[in-house]
Structure formats: structure tokens, C-alpha cells
Amino acid sequence: MAAAEMILQMFEEEELLIVSLLSKRRRKRRWTVRPPNADRSVLGEFSVLVKPMRTLDEGMHFDYFGMSAHRFDELLRRVEPLVRHERTHSRPVDLQERLAVTLRLLASGNSQRSVADSYKLGVSTVSRIVSEMCSAIWQALEEDYVSLPKGTEWTDIAQDFWRLWNFPNCVGCIDDRSVSVRKSSDSVYHNDAQSIELFATCDAHHRFTMVDISSYDCDNEKRIFRISHFGSRLLNKTLELPEPVALPGSSAKLPHVFLGDAAFPLHDNLMRPYSGVNLDDAQKTYNYRHSRALKVIENTFDILVARWKILDRPIEYYPEKAVDVVKACIALHNMLAHNDAAESLMGRRYIPPNLTDNTEASGELVPGDWRSPVTRHTNLRDPGRVSRTRASNTAIAARNNLKLFFLTPQGLLPM
């Protein structure tokens, strides 16, 4: 017995010796910083272009980052408490450069490898930077810029929709987009093709008031609106919307509603256009007014893609990271759109007057300037019908009352 134990002990000691020898023979890192990146502090894009650009060319700074130097600094102050200050091997990448890397990737739509090469950083380093910074951007901006309206904020939105888009009792437009996610040959991540489902609502000024983002397998049926977080709250009437109020010049009280396209269900608080081809004049009038106001959410998505071009192609990350990227783009969009609202009409740079589509009194579409920077193959695609919920009698009556209102003197479009 003792001999057997001695033999077993000898084998264990020999195994430990072999493991120790193998670990010593492992290839050591040839360098802490790859030679092409060694001169990053002198020849990297952050030093050569970004720093001089801040003071020399404000317009170029806006085109490069999608925001002014002043807004960049404001964002930097907001994210600073949320970001860990790690070192990259022997040299640090300071917070300002990390934010620059992230914003440049989001605004340009360039790959991680391309941005890494221009900033003279490793691809894995850029990947970690983007992951952390996108999460920090959402955390820093969500409460102030992307939180769901409450109380009198709903009423303010409804007043804006009536004043700007001539649709009463409207607390927002809703639409959804399917965002493709795929693996990339130059990405440090390798994932199967999937998609992100994005439900969103907006106010009358092209600002998102709600985003509901989830990642699903392409064949997963959970895209159904009624089981999404926002959809379930809307259908179950737990959004705390204002009480029904009378339409202008009328005593009939109608609920506050969101406007959706034909893919959405007709509900007490959610209007969709009349379907079919044999519509009467009143139904056609309603559909025109509905479609006219619904352009706000369509343009909101269009502006988002035009400004943050990473959304104009399949996102080459794991779905979980892709969700953080989309959320960061939405938070940045809202921050800049809110700041724009404080400027004069001609002083607005993020959403200038001619950027969005508009309709003339004759009904003719006036295309917005957003169409020039956005390709025809945008990655934000309409996934089709999202619910088969049957309409209630109350919902049908609400839409019919709106239809009749648009035929009254108070409901006509101003000439």
C-alpha cells in the first residue's frame, strides 16, 4: 500500500514539474505596444486632428463628432464619474480620447479596425473602450433626456402635436425598427446573425420619449408588440396618460392617443389608419391627417441614422453590445435635439429646418436634406405587422370621432 502511494506521489510530482516547465516555455509578449502604434501620442488621429480641430474649425468638429466642442465637453463631464480609468498595457488612454474614439465610431460608421488604425490603438482596446463608453453615455443621459414623460409632460406633448402637426390629443407617434447584427471578419467578436427589435415613441420635435430595445434570434416571435415592455403597458393602460379631454370646439371627450402605422393594433390609446381600398372621403381625410403627423417618428429614425451612421449598416457586435450602441445613439440624439430646441431656428445645427421631410398645405411631400447622407440600404428596417390584437368598440369610436372632427371648421388644416 505504501509503495503504491509512493508511486502515485511520484507521478503527481512529475506532472507538476511538466506543467511548470511548459508554463515557462510559453511565448512571452513581444511588445507592450505594437510598433505601428508606438507613436500614438504624436501621430495618432487624436493628437494630429482632434485636438487642433477643437479651436481651429468648429464646423469640422461638428461634422466629425456630430456635436460642437462645447457639447463634447458637456458630455465628457457627464460620463466621467461612470468610467473606470484603466491603463492600456504601459500607456493610458485618457477619458477625452476614449470619448473621441467612441463618438467617431458612432458618427462615421467606420469599423473598429479602421478607427483603431487611425487612432493607433489595438482593435481589442477600441472594442473595450466602445463597450464601456456606450454604457456610460446611456447611464449619464437617460434620466435627463430619455425618460418616459409623466404628469403634465404628456399634456405639453399633446399641445405641441396640435400646434405643429394639427392632430389633437396626440401624446406621441410610435414605430418599430429591426436592426441587423452580424459577425465581422475584422471584429474581435464572432456571433451568428441576429437582430435587435426597437420600439420607440417620439414627441412633436423629433425627440424620442420612449425606447424599448431587446435582442432576439431572427426567428423568435417575441417581436409581438403586446408583449414588449412598452406595448404591454400601453395596452394595459398603466402609462398614466392624461384623462380624456374635449377636442377643440367640441364637447365630446376623447382619450389621449399614440399614432402608429398599419402594423399596429387599433386600441383606446393607439390609433392606426383605416385599412382597405374602398374608403370614403372622410376616411381618406383621416388617413391623410394621420399619415401627416406620423412622419414625425419616421423622420426621427431618419435623423438618427443620418447623424449616427453606425446604424446605417449591420452592427458587427454581439447583440448585447449592439443594444448598448443603439441606446447610446438614441441618448446622444435626444441630448443634441433638446439643446437645439433652445437655439433660434436658424441656429440649430443638429436638426436644422430643412433636414426633415415636410408636407405643404396641398399635401405635396417636401423631401428633407436627411436623404442625402443616408443610403437607401439603411439598417433600420420595418419588420412588418407587430400585433393582431382585436380593436375594441371604444377604440373604433375614438377614431371615428377624430375622423368627423377633421371635417369641422375647428379641425380643418390652416390654409
Side-chain angles (χ1 to χ4, degrees), residues 1-21:
M1 189 69 177
E5 290 179 351
M6 289 180 62
I7 293 173
L8 179 61
Q9 183 176 0
M10 289 174 60
F11 275 118
E12 291 177 346
E13 291 176 352
E14 184 177 355
E15 183 178 1
L16 290 173
L17 178 61
I18 292 172
V19 170
S20 176
L21 290 173

Side-chain angles (χ1 to χ4, degrees), residues 107-126:
S108 68
N110 294 338
S111 67
Q112 287 186 152
R113 183 172 298 279
S114 173
V115 173
D117 289 345
S118 62
Y119 277 79
K120 291 187 172 293
L121 293 166
V123 177
S124 60
T125 300
V126 169

